[in-house]
Amino acid sequence: AGQGTRMGAGQNKIFLPLLGRPMLVYSLEACQATPEVDELLLVAHPQEVERCREIVAAHVTLAKPLAIISGGASRHQSEMCALDHLRPRIASGEIALVLIHDGARPLIAVEDIRRLIAAARASGGALLATPVPSGERMVRATPDGIIAADFSAHSLWRAQTPQAFSADLLLWAYDQAQSAGFEGTDTAASFERAGLPVQVVAAQHPNLKVTTPEDLALAEQVLRERSDASHQ
């Protein structure tokens, strides 16, 4: 759903070049390289479905099935489109686990995806996250800007993607959210709203979300370092 307005690129940021290839490609390749992932479903802006098809054809060597469908006006609505597309296979038990990943996080590592899947299989729901540094102070403010609560950094985490869930439970949670007119800021929000637990899995590798030109430069630096390390 994100069109990258803070990037100032005039297009969806997932199409921006990252070391010469569209950013989207890196997330697809990481998922393809994860043994536990059987297939991929790319949910695209309705006006960008064809462009996604062209990028996949030009840049991705498909080792697993990949389908591309139109999404909705928001992240939550796009996830509902994906679940509706998969609904018959979830209901039949063919699909047991669903992972949701943000194409603007191109640095996701296969090792972290595998650890996330293992946690979701054990608990029903899990998300990657990084702990808030101990030196940071986190507060909640009232509408007029007065501090209402102070939180200890050691108990706080920054949620990332992928987020992984038991497919039937996630579908049920999203159906409940839709009936109530609820839209979560991430996938886990609807799962939690339904009273279902979500396990936090500490990310072991950089997994930043590319939002600004500075983020794009940092992502390129990390990818270069990974490439250099793999050739040593």
Side-chain angles (χ1 to χ4, degrees):
Q3 292 298 298
T5 53
R6 280 175 287 179
M7 183 66 70
Q11 64 174 324
N12 193 325
K13 60 190 172 186
I14 65 169
F15 300 138
L16 292 176
L18 189 60
L19 295 184
R21 299 194 298 164
M23 189 191 309
L24 171 65
V25 170
Y26 293 88
S27 297
L28 295 176
E29 289 185 338
C31 291
Q32 277 212 122
T34 304
E36 293 84 354
V37 174
D38 296 318
E39 60 185 271
L40 290 78
L41 178 63
L42 177 55
V43 186
H45 187 284
Q47 296 178 354
E48 296 171 343
V49 170
E50 188 56 38
R51 186 169 184 186
C52 286
R53 289 197 181 103
E54 293 171 354
I55 287 174
V56 169
H59 296 279
V60 182
T61 301
L62 290 176
K64 298 174 181 178
L66 186 152
I68 303 175
I69 65 169
S70 294
S74 66
R75 170 177 173 162
H76 181 95
Q77 291 175 29
S78 291
E79 292 170 354
M80 192 72 245
C81 288
L83 290 171
D84 278 335
H85 180 81
L86 301 173
R87 183 181 296 272
R89 298 171 63 199
I90 293 174
S92 71
E94 179 184 351
I95 294 177
L97 201 72
V98 171
L99 285 77
I100 308 286
H101 184 55
D102 184 343
R105 291 187 185 273
L107 302 180
I108 182 60
V110 171
E111 177 188 342
D112 280 339
I113 299 176
R114 299 191 74 181
R115 293 172 55 249
L116 177 72
I117 289 173
R121 283 176 172 167
S123 64
L127 59 78
L128 281 182
T130 55
V132 172
S134 58
E136 290 191 21
R137 183 186 184 204
M138 306 294 289
V139 301
R140 178 171 57 82
T142 63
D144 55 354
I146 304 300
I147 292 177
D150 197 319
F151 301 93
S152 173
H154 78 268
S155 65
L156 299 178
W157 295 72
R158 291 192 176 95
Q160 300 180 346
T161 65
Q163 301 182 2
F165 306 90
S166 174
D168 57 344
L169 292 178
L170 184 63
L171 179 59
W172 174 76
Y174 265 65
D175 284 342
Q176 296 296 310
Q178 188 173 39
S179 296
F182 173 82
E183 287 204 11
T185 54
D186 69 352
T187 319
S190 295
F191 204 77
E192 295 166 44
R193 178 186 175 278
L196 301 167
V198 179
Q199 177 72 42
V200 171
V201 178
Q204 301 298 305
H205 302 275
N207 186 28
L208 67 90
K209 184 174 183 179
V210 176
T211 302
T212 66
E214 292 75 19
D215 295 333
L216 191 65
L218 178 57
E220 289 194 328
Q221 177 184 335
V222 172
L223 288 172
R224 288 192 187 97
E225 292 172 354
R226 286 182 181 176
S227 178
D228 291 344
S230 66
H231 289 93
Q232 291 178 358

